[in-house]
Amino acid sequence: MQDHPDAAQDSQSPVLATRVGRVGLLTLNRPRQLNALNDALMDRLGADLLALDADDAVGAIVLTGGPKVFAAGADIAAMAEWTYIDVYRSDFITRNWETLRRVRKPVLAAVAGYALGGGCELALACDIVVAAQSARFAVPEIKLAMMPGAGGTQRLPRAIGKAKAMDMCLSGRMLTADEADRYGLVSRVVPDDMLLDETLALATAIAGFSGPALMAIKESVNRAYESSLAEGLLFERRELHARFASKDAHEGMDAFLGKRRPVVVHR
Ligand code: DAK
């Protein structure tokens, strides 16, 4: 493993950044607070994500937590004293939680243990969620007389449908990994001791594909969330047409016809 040059690597850093081949690995690191997501952590995470997104040597990013907890949500101790005007003026959530939406490379979440509240929403905002058998997903904000505020009420219905999303949001119900898999909240479930290896292997395979093609696919799939079918299909068609301007696509097709491995140059 290689240290990512831009990341603070001391054990006090709320996010640890390393590189494994062409994969950037970010580990949430507030174990005593169960990786509760405070401003310092979200600022660091945003900075690390943007650095990896800009790094040509990185093709995909894995975001993980600890073996018992991915993240127990927004930091309740930090939020307890805030008033309406505090969160409105500081643009809470939007200011530093939405950096993830700007990342164009594939981001995979590797989730073991609790992914609660903002932790569940963080996983949901990733492109692929690999869950360990121990993973537990919930948006329990209602128990605090709060509500999901980092996309839970919007991404959950899109991911698992209104009926399941309402159940989770209104009752705080916790899903096991297998339930989350059945409902379509996660991409795959693996044994706990395989979580990181499996996720890194998947990320490495993805990172070996053409970067611009990956970006176009990610942008197109995300478009499905935000447009009508007709608009989305038009967007997809234009992205496909643009592939014909890429070296990698011509090389990929030539290599297939020549029965050889393609040489990907990410252009
Ligand atoms: N924040 C701060 N500290 C937390 C925490 C959290 N979310 N979760 C756990 N901790 C701390 C505990 O206070 C405890 O600290 P010490 O007492 O040791 O100092 C330590 O982590 C260990 O926790 P427990 O002793 O509770 O550990 P257990 O194994 O017994 O229980 C648990 C684990 C994850 C089931 C439990 O800690 C728990 O229920 N935690 C809270 C989970 C939760 O409610 N999460 C949702 C947080 S609210 C908004 C936008 C977004 C949001 C809200 C508003 N707007 C735009 C307005 C999002 C809100 C949330 O995410």
Side-chain angles (χ1 to χ4, degrees):
M1 281 197 194
Q2 237 181 316
D3 285 352
H4 191 270
D6 299 325
Q9 286 303 308
D10 63 287
S11 59
Q12 303 301 309
S13 176
V15 179
L16 303 178
T18 55
R19 251 197 9 231
V20 185
R22 280 182 52 75
V23 177
L25 174 62
L26 299 177
T27 305
L28 306 178
N29 183 43
R30 293 188 77 211
R32 259 174 292 169
Q33 293 80 22
L34 307 188
N35 290 338
L37 306 166
N38 64 1
D39 264 348
L41 186 151
M42 295 311 292
D43 284 345
R44 181 74 251 169
L45 180 62
D48 286 343
L49 283 167
L50 293 180
L52 291 170
D53 206 32
D55 186 341
D56 285 343
V58 170
I61 299 166
V62 170
L63 174 61
T64 195
K68 298 265 162 46
V69 64
F70 176 71
D75 190 325
I76 300 168
M79 290 193 299
E81 300 299 322
W82 292 346
T83 64
Y84 167 77
I85 203 67
D86 291 333
V87 293
Y88 181 73
R89 288 188 59 182
S90 69
D91 211 7
F92 177 49
I93 304 290
T94 312
R95 186 180 73 77
N96 52 7
W97 286 51
E98 294 202 342
T99 310
L100 185 52
R101 290 185 65 197
R102 287 164 48 200
V103 176
R104 298 173 74 201
K105 292 174 183 169
V107 182
L108 295 80
V111 180
Y114 293 118
L116 306 183
C120 182
E121 293 170 304
L122 189 59
L124 270 174
C126 293
D127 304 313
I128 291 178
V129 182
V130 181
Q133 280 290 351
S134 68
R136 297 289 179 272
F137 298 89
V139 276
E141 287 88 343
I142 188 61
K143 296 178 184 173
L144 308 172
M146 288 290 275
M147 63 176 287
T153 66
Q154 302 304 302
R155 288 199 181 93
L156 270 176
R158 287 167 165 84
I160 66 176
K162 178 183 166 188
K164 300 291 186 200
M166 279 289 191
D167 188 358
M168 286 183 75
C169 292
L170 296 179
S171 75
R173 176 185 173 194
M174 192 177 284
L175 300 186
T176 64
D178 287 333
E179 286 173 312
D181 192 25
R182 270 205 311 281
Y183 299 166
L185 196 152
V186 305
S187 315
R188 27 181 119 172
V189 179
V190 300
D192 276 69
D193 58 355
M194 302 290 290
L195 177 68
L196 208 51
D197 285 350
E198 292 267 347
T199 312
L200 286 172
L202 176 60
T204 299
I206 291 171
F209 295 130
S210 170
L214 290 169
M215 284 178 189
I217 292 170
K218 172 169 172 168
E219 205 173 15
S220 270
V221 173
N222 280 335
R223 201 71 174 196
Y225 272 125
E226 287 165 14
S227 60
S228 67
L229 181 61
E231 283 300 318
L233 287 170
L234 180 61
F235 188 83
E236 179 196 71
R237 203 62 35 83
R238 293 291 172 256
E239 291 270 12
L240 170 72
H241 292 165
R243 295 286 81 234
F244 287 83
S246 89
K247 280 192 175 147
D248 286 340
H250 288 291
E251 164 65 6
M253 292 185 280
D254 284 351
F256 176 81
L257 294 173
K259 301 192 188 304
R260 61 176 175 81
R261 286 175 70 85
V263 179
V264 174
V265 293
H266 305 288
R267 299 195 75 81

